[in-house]
Amino acid sequence: MKKLHFHYLFMVLATLVSITVQGQNPIIRDQFTADPSARVFNGRVYVYPSHDIQAPPGKGLRSNWFCMEDYHVFSSSDLTEWTDHGVILSQYTVPWVDSTSYSMWAPDCIEKDGKYYFYFPSGQKPEYGRGFTVGVAVADHPEGPFIPQPKPIKNVRGIDPCPFIDKDGKAYLYWGNIMAAPLQDNMLELAGDPVVVKELPARGLKEGPYLFERNGIYYMTYPHVENKTERLEYAISDNPMGPFTFTGVIMDEHPSGCWTNHHSIIEFNGQWYLFYHHNDFSPRFDKNRSIRIDSLFFNADGTIRKVTPTERGVGLTNARKKIEIDRYSLKSETGAAVAYHDTTDTFKGWKAILSDRGSWMQYNAVDFGKKKVKKVRVMAKSEAGSTLQIMLGTPEGAQLSEVKIPGGAEWTTVQAKVKKGKPGVHNLAVVLKEDQSAEIDWLSFK
Ligand code: FUB
């Protein structure tokens, strides 16, 4: 009784936490996040990621490995401002989970008849068998509170569950590498025996299935290791149970060597998006990851155009807020680089470094609103002192402002007048006018 009371209190408290985090890539800047399952519920985007942590000494499945003890959910109405709704489920509150396993890996969530079904894998208590299985927690709202079922789903062995409800109302569950089964109407039990999904590539690890439908085509998308690290691929079918035909690559392997990638694909306000992850805040340990978003486009025949990861990500950036130019859309081939502010605390973020005369960074989709801006503030640093040009559109565009950075070792905020500011949404570029290098943290207009 005491335990149940504590569990309820925990769930209520969890739903009260709400911290806004700002997005470009990676979209969550105060904790590690991985395996983003994005869904659109009631006109908002909800992301259900895994929550990577550093394993406490002696904990977790093995050392230097994936380590997770709980889940958060994040939501946004514009893909730029993200609200953290706090912990929605933890390994300590699910009856069947082995709370010493730290193995709450990639989850997903789906809505049916006003209820939200959160599917998650984890290591199980010995009485339920060995290895990973999948459970469900149910809520009345996308952000919870989620009440876990007392037992895992019967007959599911593996990780990375993905639920799908077809246009005819029939529900399916995909998981592992890669299995499928129909779900019963209650969304809590399988309605048939699991089958291996055919005809996906026979060689190399496949995991993280994510199935969606568009114009009558069922897209089975999944990370696949053909050569050391994962790349995102897809296969198509006219049936949610397959067989599928391998069709192409959605995203190449991360050049950094980050071993995993894991994704989901949604349409939101008429645009398709790919949610995926990379190890942005943890360059030396690729099991501490961060979730990202980039736009995804289809060709006329329904095939998917390969997505190139960007720092800029998606969404509009308000010109009157901080524009982090280090999350650039384009940069000059030479003399433009990005570095951490503090390599011992990567969550402090990045700075842009322009070092050659004429080097530049371009930042797309800045929303100047309805009124012309009159001034720009730039947080910058330049040992020898330097000058930046703020251009509208591209580095060759009209000059909005010229900002002189005084010489010195400290960061300083410099303000300058803006000429010919324009209302509306525009791209911006910052160009180094002199030979002396400059570092830029952010700029903002008023
Ligand atoms: O996050 C742990 C595991 O790494 C996931 O379950 C896999 O898909 C991979 O991203």
Side-chain angles (χ1 to χ4, degrees):
M1 181 65 195
K2 217 172 168 188
K3 210 173 161 193
L4 209 68
H5 184 72
F6 173 76
H7 170 72
Y8 182 71
L9 188 72
F10 167 82
M11 290 298 183
V12 172
L13 283 177
T15 57
L16 294 179
V17 182
S18 178
I19 307 158
T20 296
V21 281
Q22 278 236 15
Q24 301 104 357
N25 282 335
I27 61 167
I28 305 299
R29 304 287 188 89
D30 62 351
Q31 60 196 282
F32 296 117
T33 49
D35 309 325
S37 290
R39 299 282 173 185
V40 182
F41 296 136
N42 314 317
R44 262 182 101 75
V45 175
Y46 288 81
V47 186
Y48 300 84
S50 310
H51 181 197
D52 287 344
I53 56 173
Q54 271 148 9
K59 304 280 185 186
L61 288 180
R62 57 193 238 209
S63 60
N64 290 328
W65 197 239
F66 305 105
C67 182
M68 298 92 139
E69 64 181 348
D70 58 25
Y71 297 108
H72 287 228
V73 59
F74 302 87
S75 76
S76 173
S77 61
D78 60 7
L79 303 178
T80 299
E81 303 269 347
W82 289 93
T83 299
D84 179 355
H85 297 278
V87 174
I88 54 164
L89 205 67
S90 138
Q91 65 175 0
Y92 308 105
T93 56
V94 181
W96 57 267
V97 164
D98 171 3
S99 63
T100 63
S101 66
Y102 289 82
S103 54
M104 300 194 90
W105 288 14
D108 201 348
C109 189
I110 204 160
E111 185 269 342
K112 188 182 178 210
D113 300 333
K115 294 265 183 215
Y116 297 84
Y117 297 86
F118 180 72
Y119 297 82
F120 59 99
S122 190
Q124 53 199 321
K125 286 182 176 157
E127 58 262 41
Y128 295 103
R130 286 165 63 88
F132 279 82
T133 187
V134 170
V136 197
V138 187
D140 291 329
H141 305 280
E143 66 277 16
F146 282 93
I147 308 299
Q149 292 295 295
K151 292 184 179 176
I153 306 175
K154 216 172 154 191
N155 265 341
V156 180
R157 291 265 173 266
I159 58 171
D160 297 353
C162 168
F164 169 71
I165 301 178
D166 205 355
K167 286 173 295 192
D168 61 5
K170 286 190 186 139
Y172 301 84
L173 189 70
Y174 305 86
W175 69 91
N177 48 19
I178 286 174
M179 308 291 292
L183 277 166
Q184 291 198 16
D185 275 351
N186 65 13
M187 302 296 279
L188 305 174
E189 298 161 276
L190 300 188
D193 287 337
V195 296
V196 175
V197 174
K198 294 178 179 161
E199 299 286 331
L200 304 180
R203 291 169 64 99
L205 174 83
K206 297 172 292 294
E207 57 179 0
Y210 181 82
L211 187 117
F212 68 98
E213 182 269 346
R214 179 182 179 268
N215 297 340
I217 301 176
Y218 297 88
Y219 294 79
M220 171 55 76
T221 66
Y222 52 89
H224 176 209
V225 182
E226 193 189 37
N227 182 21
K228 289 195 183 138
T229 59
E230 291 184 332
R231 71 169 172 239
L232 303 180
E233 297 179 356
Y234 72 107
I236 59 173
S237 177
D238 58 6
N239 188 309
M241 293 293 283
F244 291 86
T245 306
F246 172 79
T247 308
V249 172
I250 302 171
M251 180 174 278
D252 283 328
E253 293 88 343
H254 289 305
S256 67
C258 178
W259 180 55
T260 63
N261 199 351
H262 186 118
H263 68 296
S264 56
I265 293 170
I266 58 163
E267 186 184 20
F268 181 58
N269 292 342
Q271 173 64 51
W272 287 83
Y273 296 100
L274 174 72
F275 288 67
Y276 63 101
H277 71 222
H278 191 224
N279 57 330
D280 297 80
F281 288 123
S282 178
R284 277 182 285 283
F285 180 54
D286 67 354
K287 312 295 179 295
N288 281 171
R289 299 154 295 177
S290 294
I291 61 176
R292 298 172 137 247
I293 318 173
D294 275 299
S295 299
L296 178 140
F297 299 92
F298 291 86
N299 295 309
D301 63 358
T303 54
I304 296 174
R305 288 192 213 152
K306 206 190 263 184
V307 179
T308 303
T310 72
E311 315 301 321
R312 173 64 185 85
V314 300
L316 298 180
T317 300
N318 186 329
R320 288 160 179 86
K321 293 197 173 167
K322 287 180 182 170
I323 304 165
E324 295 178 50
I325 192 82
D326 53 78
R327 305 294 86 197
Y328 62 87
S329 306
L330 293 166
K331 66 181 179 66
S332 53
E333 267 176 32
T334 57
V338 168
Y340 291 114
H341 276 292
D342 179 351
T343 50
T344 64
D345 182 1
T346 54
F347 285 111
K348 287 187 177 151
W350 295 268
K351 57 187 175 184
I353 305 170
L354 297 179
S355 51
D356 295 349
R357 182 195 286 255
S359 56
W360 53 269
M361 281 190 186
Q362 182 175 318
Y363 186 101
N364 290 352
V366 176
D367 187 1
F368 286 88
K370 292 190 176 129
K371 281 192 181 164
K372 281 185 188 175
V373 292
K374 301 218 164 79
K375 287 184 178 152
V376 62
R377 288 181 307 140
V378 182
M379 175 67 102
K381 185 164 84 170
S382 172
E383 289 274 343
S386 195
T387 305
L388 299 171
Q389 293 168 304
I390 317 289
M391 316 300 278
L392 196 68
T394 67
E396 294 82 33
Q399 183 171 304
L400 284 178
S401 188
E402 190 163 289
V403 184
K404 289 210 179 307
I405 316 296
E410 300 299 322
W411 286 99
T412 168
T413 314
V414 187
Q415 185 164 289
K417 278 193 181 152
V418 171
K419 282 185 209 146
K420 298 184 192 147
K422 273 192 179 172
V425 175
H426 303 282
N427 300 343
L428 273 185
V430 177
V431 183
L432 187 71
K433 194 181 173 193
E434 302 180 13
D435 290 327
Q436 291 75 22
S437 70
E439 299 186 355
I440 303 132
D441 189 6
W442 50 262
L443 60 147
S444 182
F445 292 87
K446 53 184 188 176

